[in-house]
Every structure is written in C-alpha cells, then in structure tokens.
Amino acid sequence: LTTRQDLSFDEAKQVIAVVGRSKDEEATPSLLRLLGDVRLRPFVADALATLGDEAARPALLRALTRERY
C-alpha cells in the first residue's frame, strides 16, 4: 500500500478495507500516509478503527480535526 496513483478510486477503497480487516498493525503507517487524500480519508479512518492500533489515534485525530467537510 505505497501509492494510490496506480489504483482507481474504487480499487483503492477495496484495498484499504482489506488491509483494515487484516488486523496487521504493520499496515498502520501506510494507512496514515493515505489520510492526506480527502476522498479516501473516511475509508482510511474505518480501516484504522478496524485495525485497532492505538498508535494511529493522534494522527487520525489531527487529520479529522482539520477536516472541513
């Protein structure tokens, strides 16, 4: 999960969901990098919640605090 540029929006959403369900906390940094994509942010937030990695909480709160929508 290094770049979204190679995937369509729908493909990226699917990959994010699968990564979240994997419960592999090593995926957290990759997901956190995707928080910068406003369109994917809600899906990334869901995946991070599913992972349950507490280390993601500060970055997620920062991203959502700045959310304008």
Side-chain angles (χ1 to χ4, degrees):
L1 196 59
T2 58
T3 179
R4 193 192 80 69
Q5 296 171 348
D6 300 334
L7 302 174
S8 72
F9 179 69
D10 288 330
E11 290 170 331
K13 289 190 322 186
Q14 291 173 3
V15 169
I16 290 166
V18 169
V19 169
R21 288 192 302 268
S22 75
K23 299 289 186 178
D24 183 357
E25 291 183 358
E26 289 185 25
T28 299
S30 295
L31 288 171
L32 290 175
R33 283 192 293 277
L34 294 175
L35 284 172
D37 187 326
V38 174
R39 297 175 309 145
L40 291 176
R41 193 171 291 158
F43 306 103
V44 173
D46 285 342
L48 288 168
T50 301
L51 278 178
D53 185 354
E54 291 293 321
R57 187 178 296 227
L60 184 57
L61 286 173
R62 276 192 306 276
L64 296 177
T65 300
R66 292 186 304 234
E67 183 66 52
R68 294 176 41 177
Y69 306 103

